[in-house]
Amino acid sequence: MKTAEVRLRKKTTFIRNIIIQAFLIVVAIVQIYPLIWLAFFSLKDNSEIFSGDVLGLPDKFLWSNYSKALSDGNVLTYFFNSVLVTSISILLVLILSSMTGYAITRMNWKLSSVTMTTILLGMMVPIQATLLPLFMVLKNLHLLNTYWSLIIPYVAFGIPMAVFILGSFYKGIPREMEESAVMDGCGIYRTFFSIILPLVRPAIATVAIFTFLSCWNELMFAVTFINKESYQTLTVGMMSMVGTYITQWGIIGAGLMITTLPTVIIYLVLNRQVQQSMIAGAVKG
Amino acid sequence: MKALLKKSMSLVLAVGIAGSLAACSAGSSEGKSADKDASGSIKLTLWDQSVGNTDPSAKLLPEIIEKWNSEHPDIQVDRSGTTGEQYKTKVKTSLAAGEAPDLFYGMGGGSFMQPYIESGNVLEISSYLTDDIKSKMGPGMAEAIEVDGKIYTLPVYTHIANLYVNTDLFNKAGAKVPTTYTELLDAVEKLKAADITPALIGEKDRWPGMYWYDIIAMRQAGNEAVIEAFKDPSKWDSPEFVAAATKMQELAKAGAFNSSMFSMSYDEMLGAFNAGNGAMMFQANWVNAGIEDPSSAVKGNVQVIPFPTFEDGKGKGTEIFGGAVDGFYVSNTTKHPKEAVEFLMYLSEQLGTQGYLAGAGLPSWNIDGLDTSSLSTLDTSAADIMKTATSFIAWWDNILPADSAETHKNLIAELLAEEITPEEFCKQMAQLKPTELKL
Amino acid sequence: MNSVFSNKKAIMIFVLPTLLLFCTIVLIPIVVSAYYSLLDWNGISKGTFIGLDNFTQMFQDPRALKSIYNSLLFAAASIFIQLPISLLLALILASSVKGEGFYRTVYFLPVLISTVVVAQLWSKIYNADYGLLNTMLENIGLSSLAQDWLGQKDTALAASFIPTLWQYMGYHMLLMYAGAKSISQDIFEAAKMDGASRMRTAFAITIPLMKPILKVCLVFSVIGAFKVFDLIYVLTGGGPLFSTEVPSTLMYTTIFGTYQYGYGSAISVFIILECLIVTVLINKFFKIE
């Protein structure tokens, strides 16, 4: 009798698992199929995209779409610029926001919550609105047409989210950790750099990936603040490519893939760290 | 420490705000990017929107500049090109911040450039222009570029809008290339019956639809009446313009336009026409090069004709939609006005003549002695149409003040979508502002 | 001990560089925009001070009101469609199903893709003549449903929201998943002992304990909805006939299309205020709960 009940329960669990798995797979297809489709059409020519089998694999893999997209203009220069601007921005965001987030959440001073609110305000600003004022600020600082004209705004607009994520993480660290460090004679700097920072490594990975995303993909600042082609970034180059090959979807698709792949690869590398950090840091948000 | 923090904060704020506000006032004379470099040569910056291989100027510009640079070691030009909408945003932001390049491309004499001309952001070049350079221009050009007796730009190309007809598709449908409105409706019917999209409009960008209404209005009322209405908008609400709007809607109802027009951009419209997916397109001759490109499926099967005239209309086939309106401007903040204008003259003439040969546009410059044998039939037919011209009206969105131009385009979209009646359309057109230009 | 954590010099070193940067690059432009919003200014010549007239104009302009209405709809769609799906997925994944890690990674992938790319991709999906969506419908015999998704007033709004919902679903899912995972396992054990069903456990225990993270998701998605720009700008440009207009696209056309810099700035100030108010309201709401 007992075994029958167990068997029944096993059976219902089994069916339920199938239903759940089916649901998860459908969602997974919805999430991933457009990207696979993009990869497919980046390897097709127009006749195949417009007439033949829109959904499936290309008949013949047209790698020349990629060579065309790559040979167009200065993709390599753009790529280098994007890498340079993005990596310096990430580094600066990490340094600044990890210190600021720490001072705000773990140290005692009167204006800490005001400072936090002010910084979080930055998340609400539509950046298109700040274009002209920001242009003037950069002009007065004589930074236009340099890498800094992108790095500085990227860092400044990246800080709110970074402080938010790191701050929520710091909050979760038990006070005793720092106290024992201080007992042992560590100063505030040592405590921060050698005790606290290593603890929030996953959060740092999260901040890095979010900063990466916003810098790598940013378009409006990149168009407006840079005139010299030698400083332009990949999104700018890609936009003019979309304009150029408006009807040749295959080449556009290849260009889109070229800009997207680095992101996906970096994500897959940092994947574990990011997910861990979100799991560890989330609730305290 | 709090005091210190407060102090430095307020200092930063004060400096920043003062700086930014000061910079807003137009024409700040602050340091320009153009400067002498170590070798003592002058550097000029040039911005344009010619990017990508669909724009023939994009190939010519670097060549012309390279030639100039090698011939003028003391005046070096540095060019940077940006695509369409982003170019406008960039130029507007930079001009507003007083950080304009020495030379830049400006769309139209009207709504895009007029505010800058009025505010003095653009250098007046009349005094630099010799009779010699004026004599090199095509007939009527020297007068056409004057604004209140002053000159700010030189013509490059002339662009005129005409009806592009895919003769292959017309033959397939057994339709006749239209010369009158009745024939146009007839052709639409035959093409539809043959399951061919009669005409393509990239209405997502709204100006391609505007071209249709504008030419219909010009054929219905005649150029003179249109010019009157630009000056006195109340005249937009008159029987002729109602009749024009009615015809526009009649065409839409007859299924003349692609059903996907509201999601189709201008670029996609070109692509579709060049792929043979529509039988007609009303556009300016800047599309010629694309149609004649080896990648185009309709190369050789396209004919360009004046827009049909109307049996009940006052407009004639020789009244032309278009003109020489786009050109390069010299910024008022340039440190080297003389050299910049010198380059402007060289650039405009070179681009105007070479661009004509490359199929970028019709010439605004004297072309005697040029070998035009390599020109495509599209270019020569367009040039022939232009020769018949009795009057020109430029793109309406350049003639109307910027916000009225926006309203005009939106109203036409509503007309196409049958959201408003022709009468309502004209009532609202009568609310537009009069043009700021001398017509 | 306390002296270490209130070391003024250290606080300065930690905070001042960030604040300096933040003020020059973010705060000043906001303040300047707020000042512009009080001007009648074309962005070129000298502006005239007109007080709050731009804001009065905004609340009388049917196009602006429509755009605000659209962004509210968008926020509602995020809250009532996107977040529940994300929550459901998060709860399922957190209950240790097979392939947990795989699904987590796949669901998050769209978040990584630049808006420009997403917009291009979806404009190809929606393309009336050759798009993925219409082709699929035709392949399964539903060609009567195929239509010009972005070109019609009644479908364009929904069609331009879907890509954003699609893209950020995985983002909220991961946040919520993280929230659910960090709940102590003991609580679930206890619930199981009491014989509570999965459903009951979810509603009575998991979701209430996830409140802090749900609040964060709510704030993020509403702010995101109010600020949405790139995607709609590329997909429809606010058209057809303003049916997909949102405040930020309207702001962009007023500033850069028709030279109404003052009016455009007023719209941007409105967006900032709108975000602020909603954030405060959400925080209040969660406190009362």
Side-chain angles (χ1 to χ4, degrees), chain B residues 10 31 81 189 210 304 332 403 430 438:
Chain B
S10 48
E189 203 174 301
M210 181 196 78
V304 56
N332 213 359
D403 49 343
K438 288 257 155 65

Side-chain angles (χ1 to χ4, degrees), chain A residues 12-67:
Chain A
T12 50
T13 322
F14 180 70
I15 291 170
R16 191 168 57 200
N17 279 346
I18 286 184
I19 294 171
I20 286 177
Q21 282 292 333
F23 173 68
L24 291 177
I25 286 171
V26 168
V27 177
I29 290 173
V30 169
Q31 291 302 90
I32 200 93
Y33 185 69
L35 301 174
I36 294 175
W37 182 63
L38 172 67
F40 284 171
F41 88 65
S42 78
L43 292 165
K44 293 178 178 178
D45 65 1
N46 263 5
S47 62
E48 209 181 333
I49 294 170
F50 290 163
S51 56
D53 168 24
V54 189
L55 307 172
L57 275 166
D59 275 346
K60 212 175 74 197
F61 287 70
L62 218 67
W63 293 106
S64 63
N65 283 340
Y66 280 81
S67 55

